[in-house]
Amino acid sequence: MEKLNIREVITYPFRLDGWFSRFFILFVLALVPILGWSVIAGYMLRVSKNWCDENNKEYPSFSKILDLLGKGFIIIITLSIFLVPIYPAIMIPSAGIVIADVWGLLFIFISPYLVSKYAYSEHIEELFNFSAMIKFVQENTIYLVEAFFINIISLIVVVIPPFLLVYAGKMIIEIPKIGTIWHIIGWLSVCFGAVVALVGLIYFAYLFFSLAGNIHWISLHRTESDEVQKTVAARTT
């Protein structure tokens, strides 16, 4: 049974040459709503494609920026479409919260399929191939559960430090008759917390898309192994 390359996934954003320059580019892009976010999503699709191909020894390039923009926008819209049912579900009396929670849990399990499948095939129709989606989840449930806990833990780790920095800075700023120096320290804490949060979210994106690609590679590898076994069995009969 194949295993997730958890150690390599966790260290991937910082492990290779050029990691800092890519983080800086992604950080700047994150400051540009819609267009920048779409380019980031497109870049992360390339990250996922690398992992689908078991090519995790280099970072993808930022070449063909319009391609990044277009594909990134498509995956953002697709993920948003799959999240839409949560909001009307919440409005349903009594059972609304439960339905929303169940759908949210399902989304957590199908989102790796959405990003890795589109990254690998580049065919929009694959995003709505529900039979393939269900099969992917059934065959990779253990890996998806592993990825879920890794994502949750990493998200908590990257969120808590900036939250504390921003909260502490806000508390300092709101102290009555505080001196100018402390006021500046408070604002610096808030600003630094915001920067740390943004860097943390970029790292989380790396992690999520890498795990999705790693699971997709395992799925592809399993399919190829099954086909080889069938061929060998057919030849021996």
Side-chain angles (χ1 to χ4, degrees), residues 63-92:
S63 61
K64 299 180 180 179
I65 194 74
L66 292 180
D67 181 66
L68 291 177
L69 178 64
K71 290 177 180 175
F73 185 74
I74 287 172
I75 198 63
I76 287 175
I77 293 299
T78 302
L79 293 174
S80 300
I81 289 172
F82 278 90
L83 278 173
V84 164
I86 290 178
Y87 301 102
I90 295 175
M91 307 303 294
I92 300 175

Side-chain angles (χ1 to χ4, degrees), residues 20-212:
F20 183 81
S21 60
R22 279 168 171 74
F23 249 96
F24 180 76
I25 293 171
L26 293 168
F27 182 87
V28 173
L29 287 170
L31 302 176
V32 184
I34 310 302
L35 294 179
W37 301 343
S38 296
V39 174
I40 291 174
Y43 181 78
M44 291 303 166
L45 284 173
R46 289 185 182 177
V47 169
S48 189
K49 175 66 164 60
N50 274 12
W51 279 87
C52 288
D53 295 333
E54 204 182 11
N55 177 24
N56 54 7
K57 304 304 180 184
E58 61 181 5
Y59 296 122
S61 70
F62 283 94
S63 61
K64 299 180 180 179
I65 194 74
L66 292 180
D67 181 66
L68 291 177
L69 178 64
K71 290 177 180 175
F73 185 74
I74 287 172
I75 198 63
I76 287 175
I77 293 299
T78 302
L79 293 174
S80 300
I81 289 172
F82 278 90
L83 278 173
V84 164
I86 290 178
Y87 301 102
I90 295 175
M91 307 303 294
I92 300 175
S94 302
I97 299 297
V98 175
I99 295 173
D101 288 342
V102 170
W103 184 259
L105 186 61
L106 288 173
F107 176 80
I108 289 171
F109 280 88
I110 65 175
S111 54
Y113 167 86
L114 295 174
V115 299
S116 63
K117 192 67 174 179
Y118 183 54
Y120 186 76
S121 70
E122 299 185 351
H123 296 309
I124 297 176
E125 60 270 19
E126 291 290 347
L127 294 171
F128 300 95
N129 186 342
F130 295 105
S131 60
M133 190 184 302
I134 293 171
K135 182 180 178 182
F136 180 86
V137 173
Q138 289 176 335
E139 293 180 347
N140 300 285
T141 302
I142 295 176
Y143 303 117
L144 291 169
V145 171
E146 279 187 81
F148 168 74
F149 283 108
I150 294 170
N151 284 322
I152 289 296
I153 293 171
S154 65
L155 190 59
I156 292 172
V157 170
V158 301
V159 164
I160 290 179
F163 171 79
L164 293 176
L165 285 168
V166 172
Y167 183 76
K170 184 174 179 294
M171 293 292 291
I172 293 172
I173 293 169
E174 292 179 348
I175 296 175
K177 299 179 180 180
I178 191 171
T180 303
I181 298 298
W182 281 105
H183 197 78
I184 293 173
I185 291 173
W187 276 109
L188 286 174
S189 179
V190 170
C191 293
F192 185 65
V195 170
V196 172
L198 204 51
V199 171
L201 290 175
I202 292 171
Y203 173 80
F204 176 76
Y206 263 117
L207 199 68
F208 175 80
F209 280 79
S210 297
L211 283 169

